[in-house]
Amino acid sequence: LVPQSIKKWISISDEVYDLRGEAFLRYIYDELTYRIAKKAADQLVTKILACGTVSTTTSPGVPKLTATSASIGDVAQAMALLSDEAANPVIMMNKRTWGTYKALQATNNYNYDPFEGLPVVFNNTIKAYAAATTGESYAIVGDLGHGALANFPNGEGITFKFDEMSRKKEDLIEVLGRRYVGLGVVAPDAFVKITKAE
């Protein structure tokens, strides 16, 4: 895994910065930490979606379940394609796709959980079912603990910098958060992409 720098920043006014107290600084740190974690999650989802369906010597495969339309049994079928080692799967999808499946459940009066009791992790990097075109994935089922790896070469902390000079004419201070992280898919069949039929 090749680590990359993930940077996020926010701008605050001099007046607000002068009010800095512990609670305010904690808010800034928490906000930047959230943005960095979100960016890392988006990068991992992009890597999962970019994987081929068959494993090679350099890249693990991520099978795909091709569906002509969203169906109440999609998640169960996707789980069947996971390896035995993928023991703690979750579902990753756009919130709109979640709504599509819940509408299917309600419209058809199914007394059945379309998510098979699995935790749903929302990520809007994944196309919504309604927006996905032919061949695009709109959900991922898989085990993040088994199938993905994150490498933090500088430890798990985030480096924060306060830049009071770059935008001083605007009376703004830039607060930058940075973290080096390497992310990758490391196990074959640890994830399954649910994809619109071609």
Side-chain angles (χ1 to χ4, degrees):
L1 300 176
V2 179
Q4 296 179 333
S5 174
I6 298 177
K7 296 189 294 186
K8 289 292 178 181
W9 59 88
I10 57 175
S11 300
I12 57 174
S13 69
D14 281 337
E15 291 85 1
V16 170
Y17 184 66
D18 287 341
L19 300 174
R20 61 184 184 260
E22 185 179 335
F24 175 70
L25 289 176
R26 194 176 320 117
Y27 163 76
I28 290 175
Y29 295 153
D30 288 349
E31 179 66 20
L32 287 173
T33 300
Y34 169 77
R35 290 184 187 187
I36 289 169
K38 179 77 173 88
K39 179 69 174 176
D42 292 348
Q43 286 180 355
L44 180 59
V45 165
T46 300
K47 289 179 183 247
I48 294 168
L49 292 173
C51 284
T53 56
V54 178
S55 295
T56 66
T57 55
T58 57
S59 178
V62 175
K64 69 178 176 180
L65 171 69
T66 304
T68 53
S69 62
S71 168
I72 202 82
D74 286 347
V75 171
Q77 290 182 53
M79 284 178 58
L81 299 175
L82 292 172
S83 70
D84 290 344
E85 290 79 18
N88 297 302
V90 299
I91 306 161
M92 292 172 271
M93 64 176 51
N94 189 300
K95 282 186 179 180
R96 291 183 185 144
T97 303
W98 178 88
T100 297
Y101 280 101
K102 293 306 277 184
L104 277 172
Q105 181 185 25
T107 301
N108 294 301
N109 214 11
Y110 289 126
N111 187 19
Y112 174 79
D113 177 12
F115 306 121
E116 295 288 326
L118 300 180
V120 178
V121 178
F122 296 119
N123 187 295
N124 287 340
T125 301
I126 304 169
K127 286 271 184 96
Y129 172 78
T133 58
T134 299
E136 285 188 311
S137 299
Y138 55 89
I140 300 169
V141 177
D143 186 340
L144 291 164
H146 170 68
L149 183 64
N151 177 21
F152 304 100
N154 294 345
E156 295 199 17
I158 293 176
T159 303
F160 295 98
K161 292 184 180 177
F162 289 79
D163 178 2
E164 299 180 36
M165 301 305 291
S166 297
R167 299 182 67 188
K168 65 181 179 183
K169 290 183 179 179
E170 301 169 70
D171 290 328
L172 292 175
I173 296 170
E174 299 279 339
V175 184
L176 171 76
R178 173 181 293 167
R179 183 176 199 173
Y180 281 95
V181 60
L183 299 162
V185 179
V186 295
D189 303 338
F191 301 100
V192 174
K193 301 177 274 193
I194 303 177
T195 306
K196 272 197 176 176
E198 298 180 16

